[in-house]
Amino acid sequence: METLMKLFKNNIRQYGMIIALVVIMIFFQLITGGLLLEPINITNLILQNSYILVLAIGMVLVIITGHIDLSVGSVAAFVGAVAAIMMVDMQLHPVVAVIASLIVGGLIGAWQGFWVAYVRIPAFIVTLAGMLLFRGLTMIVLEGQSISPFPAGFQKISSGFIPDFGDFGVNLIAILAGIIFTLIYIINELRDRRAQQKYQFEVISNSLFVLKLVVMAAVINAFTYMLASYAGLPNILILLLVLILIYSFVMNRTVMGRHIYALGGNEKAAALSGVKTKKVTFWVFVNMGVMAAISGLIFAARLNAATPRAGTNFELDAIAASFIGGASATGGIGTVFGAIIGGLVMGVLNNGMSLIGLGIDWQQGIKGLVLLAAVAFDIYNKKKNSVS
Amino acid sequence: MSEYILEMRNITKEFPGVKALENVNLRVREGEIHSLCGENGAGKSTLMKVLSGVYPHGSYDGEILFKGSVCEFKNIKQSEELGIVIIHQELALIPYLSIAENIYLGNERSRRGIMDWNETITGAKELLAKVGLDENPNTPVGSIGVGKQQLVEIAKALSKKVKLLILDEPTAALNEDDSENLLQLMLEFKKQGISCILISHKLNEVSKVSDSITILRDGKTIETLDMHSGEVSEDRIIRGMVGRDLTNRYPERTPNIGEVTLEIKDWTVYHEQQAERKVLDRINMVVRRGEIVGIAGLMGAGRTELAMSIFGKSYGRGITGTILKDGKEIQNNSVTEAIENGFAYVTEDRKDYGLILIDDIKRNISLTGLRKLTHRTVINEREEVLVAEEMRRKLKIKTPSILQKTGNLSGGNQQKVVLSKWIYSEPDILILDEPTRGIDVGAKYEIYTIINQLADEGKGILVISSELPEILGICDRIYVMSAGRITGEVNRENATQETLMRYMTKTGGNGHGNTDEIVQK
């Protein structure tokens, strides 16, 4: 028990938000009389939050470099509008339209990245301008109207599920995916642990390690079972998982990721160590543009329409998700996984409060307080742990 | 009233897991200059923070008596009210505000919240006269030099009716002239009855002005020396600080000098902001393999500018001139190119320019050489650990783990991490800018040993240092710079502090930056 407490104390930053997420989930599970964790609601949670989570992945990278992007909501709306014009008005094939939309997103990111990285205008200002600019452009290209409906194939991005083989009452693909994912997870953990022991890093005790594996396996499989007993694996979940895995890998294991952290941690030192700071900043913004485009496409597909007011306040949710997930406003600190947890905290709050019939006014207020509390908790912890 | 203005008795201060101070005693006489010496991490700054109330009463054990009465400061404000003022190493001035505004910051001359500019300006003028600073009080602080800024800090302290002035490494960033100036000012204050506590690594200054010295080591008081007893030498102080005799401050080395590896020709650089201002004027120099070449000069002579402009044009604009490496002309247009060409630059400011303080040791070490650790842009993390461990062992970085954040390390260990980083990038030419600034005596010796090893491996080494004994102690040959030119070149055998000083203060240079004619006496 004592080691457990010590473990908890040392990793409070890492685990704090996961614990907060679990507590929030239990709270709403009780207060809604079990509605929150109904299979249909779990599936809804994923569908409802996917576009914010995609934005959060891009946003946390921007925040790690020490910048911010206020324009992502407008960019998402603009790309959604462009996609609608291509698919609905011009009757282009969805695949072509999606690729073109992603390129548009990348170009928008390049535009903003240029001003931030090379002209050195603060990102706050560049993206504030972008927020107005792209909202305006959205209204112009849509001529103030909504465009719908999208081709059925395109809608499947947001509302489709991985098709199952046969009919067994539950979705077998989902169950299988859960089991395979669990196995990959366990193998990975074992490999990491062996490596850490080899280099004589401190590792948690055997019994705790097994406990951790068992809990994680249970969570993963409970989750996939829930999905299986409704409609199976949503397409969007697969897309999200792929993005999370790719970006976690890039941030942890590649030169680009290292350079992003180094740049955010100390730009001058990074520059003198051979990090091409301008180039890195530029590409982080290009990436953010692409992620905003993906988010815009998901949202348009879910709504089955491109509307002039799409994506309003998305940027705030994405930024909040990053900070709740432990990113530092001064740069250099943050993880993709943390941003996802942060996004889920916000998502569960939204969903739970809607379930109990709380108005949008109260929801906003409570979300604001949660953001403040999460960051205050983080700063309190940092202070306590730093010995001067 | 006791003869002591300040008595700190049995001060013990603990941080989670560390005893920073253990039964420390410090007694400062009325009107004396009392120096506090010790290696980095000995507890000097912690002790001063206890004194000034940064660590409030109750967070430490022991008692503080100021002018004979017990003090229990809860914050800095309370200690300042009694006239205890600290001037920190990092100056706490606001660059965009004027000198006068800075002096009265937090202590504004005002009536019912409205600024009284007359009194502010006249008061500031008086205070500036007292510290001997001839500047318009309306000048923004950011536009005057560091030496003058230091004086503004002191004027600010005077405005608070200071009785006990604490100076933490006041001369660390100052050139010889400004340092001398400051020391004179301290002696002047002493005459006026202001007591001083001086924290400094520069032992020559300490022995010059102090009346007594208290030495701290590992959070304990070792001894208090009376400087008027006449038997206290610098070596004596060092022995107290490190707990052993350090007979030779510079490791022995027999240089094995080879071919010319680096040649700089007619290197001219203009100022970053002021396009017409020449910062470097036709610099010519050579460095041979296995040679340690020093660059001496006063602040503003252009030494760091030279190093950074060579290292991937990190400083300056309108750069002209050629760099030859092993006889071939090369281009260092970016830091990446410079690194590929085998250059390394260890900056004078490791906290702002050298390290990512929030990252761990391992990641800092691997940053420049990351390409060597990657396979198709994926980092081999196991290899990375091995590299970091090897550097930790080789350079004796004192840390429980290579996963420790560099921000938590002492100055000496931080510098070793910076050196590790560059050693791992396998350079042929290392430019070391103030490699031992702010590092304690023991760690300095270790850094010198590392520099010697690198030279013995056949690398060409350029060392920039403001400490003349250091330059004389480790370099084989020394270039002296003044006002953007090379004013002299001296071999080790011919070099003395006096000759160097003469060239350092020589302005105008020798016209064409031609160094051949100079002193090979």
Side-chain angles (χ1 to χ4, degrees):
Chain A
M1 196 61 208
E2 205 174 285
T3 48
L4 200 66
M5 282 310 288
K6 201 178 137 211
L7 186 79
F8 178 71
K9 255 189 181 161
N10 290 338
N11 295 295
I12 197 149
R13 258 182 78 88
Q14 253 181 314
Y15 295 137
M17 278 309 125
I18 299 179
I19 291 163
L21 179 62
V22 171
V23 169
I24 292 170
M25 285 174 86
I26 292 172
F27 174 76
F28 281 112
Q29 174 72 356
L30 293 178
I31 208 165
T32 57
L35 275 181
L36 185 87
L37 294 183
E38 286 285 322
I40 178 166
N41 195 50
I42 294 260
T43 308
N44 264 335
L45 255 173
I46 295 163
L47 300 181
Q48 277 171 2
N49 291 297
S50 51
Y51 40 90
I52 296 295
L53 294 180
V54 170
L55 282 180
I57 295 173
M59 188 63 76
V60 77
L61 265 60
V62 173
I63 288 175
I64 291 169
T65 56
H67 296 293
I68 196 104
D69 193 337
L70 300 174
S71 70
V72 292
S74 298
V75 175
F78 180 68
V79 172
V82 170
I85 290 168
M86 285 191 287
M87 275 183 262
V88 181
D89 294 354
M90 295 162 64
Q91 297 286 326
L92 284 181
H93 190 272
V95 174
V96 178
V98 164
I99 291 171
S101 303
L102 295 182
I103 292 173
V104 169
L107 288 174
I108 293 174
W111 158 261
Q112 309 207 88
F114 164 75
W115 292 107
V116 176
Y118 294 100
V119 190
R120 298 196 71 92
I121 299 177
F124 188 90
I125 293 164
V126 171
T127 60
L128 183 62
M131 180 179 175
L132 300 169
L133 174 63
F134 295 109
R135 178 63 62 193
L137 284 178
T138 309
M139 295 189 202
I140 292 167
V141 297
L142 288 177
E143 292 164 344
Q145 308 285 315
S146 295
I147 297 182
S148 64
F150 281 103
F154 178 69
Q155 292 176 39
K156 282 271 186 292
I157 294 180
S158 284
S159 52
F161 292 85
I162 303 283
D164 197 12
F165 46 84
D167 186 9
F168 303 94
V170 290
N171 186 304
L172 261 189
I173 288 271
I175 303 274
L176 267 177
I179 293 168
I180 292 169
F181 198 76
T182 310
L183 285 177
I184 295 173
Y185 172 78
I186 290 176
I187 290 167
N188 229 340
E189 284 288 305
L190 282 172
R191 246 188 29 202
D192 274 5
R193 187 177 166 80
R194 213 171 303 143
Q196 283 171 345
Q197 278 169 333
K198 195 173 141 204
Y199 297 125
Q200 294 169 351
F201 287 163
E202 216 175 305
V203 288
I204 54 176
S205 70
N206 272 326
S207 49
L208 269 176
F209 181 68
V210 172
L211 183 72
K212 182 180 159 193
L213 291 185
V214 170
V215 170
M216 282 306 292
V219 169
I220 293 169
N221 286 291
F223 176 68
T224 48
Y225 178 75
M226 292 278 191
L227 293 177
S229 49
Y230 179 60
L233 294 175
N235 291 336
I236 197 72
L237 179 67
I238 304 299
L239 176 65
L240 258 178
L241 282 179
V242 169
L243 287 175
I244 293 170
L245 287 177
I246 290 176
Y247 278 88
S248 294
F249 182 80
V250 166
M251 291 307 281
N252 291 328
R253 295 289 305 275
T254 68
V255 176
M256 183 69 180
R258 275 307 167 78
H259 283 183
I260 290 173
Y261 278 112
L263 164 64
N266 185 344
E267 186 180 350
K268 288 178 273 186
L272 279 179
S273 303
V275 175
K276 291 172 177 147
T277 50
K278 288 177 182 168
K279 205 170 130 191
V280 173
T281 309
F282 178 77
W283 282 104
V284 165
F285 273 92
V286 172
N287 176 67
M288 181 77 254
V290 175
M291 297 305 258
I294 296 176
S295 169
L297 291 173
I298 297 171
F299 188 69
R302 180 170 160 74
L303 223 58
N304 193 16
T307 73
R309 306 255 29 114
T312 312
N313 288 350
F314 278 15
E315 62 281 347
L316 301 183
D317 281 342
I319 292 167
S322 302
F323 286 133
I324 291 177
S328 154
T330 47
I333 295 173
T335 58
V336 170
F337 183 69
I340 294 295
I341 297 292
L344 288 176
V345 167
M346 300 284 278
V348 172
L349 274 174
N350 275 336
N351 183 273
M353 289 191 290
S354 301
L355 285 179
I356 57 173
L358 221 49
I360 193 85
D361 41 2
W362 279 100
Q363 290 191 21
Q364 291 266 359
I366 289 172
K367 267 158 58 186
L369 287 178
V370 167
L371 170 63
L372 192 63
V375 178
F377 174 76
D378 199 34
I379 288 178
Y380 168 77
N381 263 315
K382 264 188 228 164
K383 259 196 188 155
K384 210 175 56 183
N385 290 336
S386 69
V387 179
S388 66
Chain B
M1 193 154 172
S2 77
E3 62 170 320
Y4 295 108
I5 183 167
L6 173 76
E7 282 185 76
M8 298 181 80
R9 290 183 189 153
N10 298 321
I11 305 289
T12 299
K13 166 83 189 163
E14 280 182 62
F15 293 111
V18 200
K19 221 171 203 176
L21 296 173
E22 199 177 343
N23 288 322
V24 170
N25 289 291
L26 175 69
R27 291 193 296 187
V28 182
R29 282 196 185 83
E30 186 96 49
E32 75 165 347
I33 298 177
H34 193 114
S35 287
L36 206 52
C37 291
E39 296 191 310
N40 286 345
K44 295 164 295 183
S45 298
T46 312
L47 186 65
M48 290 304 105
K49 282 180 180 164
V50 166
L51 171 58
S52 60
V54 172
Y55 299 133
H57 177 76
S59 70
Y60 59 88
D61 293 324
E63 54 179 5
I64 300 174
L65 280 83
F66 188 69
K67 297 191 158 186
S69 50
V70 177
C71 298
E72 298 180 350
F73 301 126
K74 294 204 169 51
N75 52 45
I76 309 178
K77 198 109 194 159
Q78 290 184 355
S79 63
E80 284 190 347
E81 268 164 23
L82 288 182
I84 302 176
V85 182
I86 289 202
I87 296 179
H88 292 282
Q89 196 175 346
E90 288 91 17
L91 298 179
L93 297 173
I94 299 175
Y96 302 114
L97 293 184
S98 72
I99 294 178
E101 284 168 312
N102 267 293
I103 288 178
Y104 289 113
L105 191 66
N107 184 22
E108 283 80 5
R109 307 288 99 171
S110 61
R111 243 165 242 133
R112 284 186 233 103
I114 313 286
M115 285 293 288
D116 183 339
W117 286 109
N118 271 334
E119 209 185 315
T120 304
I121 301 293
T122 45
K125 269 189 186 151
E126 270 171 41
L127 291 167
L128 290 180
K130 272 191 196 163
V131 297
L133 179 59
D134 184 21
E135 284 282 344
N136 184 337
N138 288 317
T139 314
V141 156
S143 65
I144 60 175
V146 195
K148 289 179 175 175
Q149 289 185 2
Q150 187 73 261
L151 295 177
V152 173
E153 274 278 10
I154 294 172
K156 185 175 168 184
L158 291 181
S159 80
K160 291 171 186 158
K161 304 270 178 301
V162 61
K163 301 274 184 330
L164 175 65
L165 182 63
I166 302 160
L167 295 158
D168 192 352
E169 295 283 355
T171 59
L174 302 190
N175 62 32
E176 305 262 342
D177 275 352
D178 286 343
S179 302
E180 182 57 37
N181 211 340
L182 188 78
L183 298 178
Q184 286 306 324
L185 195 62
M186 287 177 70
L187 294 171
E188 182 60 32
F189 286 162
K190 186 172 131 182
K191 278 187 209 149
Q192 295 169 17
I194 298 174
S195 318
C196 256
I197 296 178
L198 171 67
I199 301 177
S200 179
H201 280 302
K202 297 189 183 168
L203 297 183
N204 54 341
E205 294 175 1
V206 165
S207 31
K208 196 163 168 185
V209 295
S210 307
D211 298 299
S212 39
I213 296 178
T214 293
I215 294 173
L216 293 183
R217 191 203 310 152
D218 303 330
K220 296 182 193 116
T221 333
I222 300 304
E223 56 193 342
T224 296
L225 304 168
D226 184 356
M227 295 302 283
H228 299 296
S229 65
E231 288 176 6
V232 186
S233 62
E234 283 182 33
D235 287 340
R236 173 72 190 79
I237 303 173
I238 291 173
R239 200 186 327 151
M241 280 163 63
V242 298
R244 62 178 187 276
D245 274 309
L246 209 60
T247 44
N248 199 344
R249 270 195 258 175
Y250 305 98
E252 286 290 329
R253 158 168 172 268
T254 338
N256 179 13
I257 297 173
E259 299 285 295
V260 169
T261 175
L262 172 71
E263 191 169 0
I264 308 284
K265 277 187 180 165
D266 290 327
W267 196 251
T268 301
V269 176
Y270 288 86
H271 195 270
E272 294 226 296
Q273 275 91 40
Q274 301 155 24
E276 308 89 66
R277 200 172 128 200
K278 254 187 204 175
V279 180
L280 296 170
D281 191 4
R282 282 161 294 172
I283 300 286
N284 285 291
M285 57 170 54
V286 291
V287 180
R288 299 183 179 85
R289 287 180 194 281
E291 188 180 36
I292 302 178
V293 177
I295 305 182
L298 298 171
M299 274 287 152
R303 295 166 301 163
T304 297
E305 289 80 356
L306 173 65
M308 287 183 71
S309 60
I310 294 172
F311 189 67
K313 302 197 172 164
S314 306
Y315 174 86
R317 45 157 78 180
I319 298 174
T320 52
T322 45
I323 307 175
L324 285 95
K325 195 188 154 208
D326 301 325
K328 263 184 269 164
E329 185 174 339
I330 53 156
Q331 298 292 329
N332 274 355
N333 286 325
S334 68
V335 172
T336 322
E337 242 180 301
I339 293 172
E340 277 162 14
N341 283 328
F343 285 71
Y345 171 59
V346 174
T347 140
E348 60 176 336
D349 184 347
R350 59 179 165 268
K351 286 195 170 137
D352 275 350
Y353 288 87
L355 289 171
I356 318 273
L357 295 173
I358 58 172
D359 262 351
D360 59 34
I361 296 174
K362 173 179 66 121
R363 282 167 158 244
N364 269 286
I365 290 179
S366 64
L367 186 59
T368 38
L370 217 44
R371 247 161 224 97
K372 288 167 49 186
L373 286 172
T374 53
H375 178 67
R376 292 204 198 113
T377 86
V378 176
I379 298 165
N380 184 342
E381 289 187 312
R382 290 160 203 212
E383 185 74 27
E384 186 183 21
V385 170
L386 293 179
V387 167
E389 284 290 355
E390 193 191 331
M391 286 298 172
R392 163 160 90 145
R393 210 186 55 239
K394 259 202 201 154
L395 271 67
K396 302 197 188 80
I397 301 170
K398 286 181 207 84
T399 169
S401 153
I402 53 167
L403 299 181
Q404 179 74 248
K405 288 203 169 71
T406 49
N408 295 338
L409 300 177
S410 71
N413 283 312
Q414 285 182 345
Q415 190 69 343
K416 287 180 188 172
V417 174
V418 179
L419 282 168
S420 306
K421 167 170 119 173
W422 287 112
I423 290 171
Y424 182 61
S425 77
E426 292 181 343
D428 305 313
I429 295 154
L430 277 108
I431 308 173
L432 310 174
D433 198 349
E434 304 285 359
T436 64
R437 172 175 286 175
I439 291 178
D440 58 63
V441 180
K444 273 184 183 176
Y445 190 87
E446 293 179 344
I447 302 274
Y448 298 142
T449 313
I450 296 165
I451 295 175
N452 286 349
Q453 278 168 6
L454 291 168
D456 291 343
E457 286 167 21
K459 301 182 193 306
I461 296 178
L462 263 173
V463 177
I464 297 172
S465 175
S466 294
E467 288 180 47
L468 293 181
E470 174 172 294
I471 287 251
L472 294 169
I474 61 171
C475 295
D476 303 316
R477 194 157 51 87
I478 301 154
Y479 288 106
V480 187
M481 287 181 69
S482 171
R485 293 174 183 209
I486 290 189
T487 50
E489 181 185 349
V490 194
N491 276 334
R492 182 179 212 161
E493 306 81 61
N494 305 328
T496 61
Q497 297 210 30
E498 288 71 27
T499 41
L500 294 185
M501 206 59 204
R502 221 170 49 237
Y503 288 117
M504 280 159 71
T505 49
K506 182 171 158 187
T507 45
N510 53 335
H512 297 85
N514 179 359
T515 56
D516 297 340
E517 61 196 77
I518 304 173
V519 256
Q520 301 268 356
K521 284 181 242 184

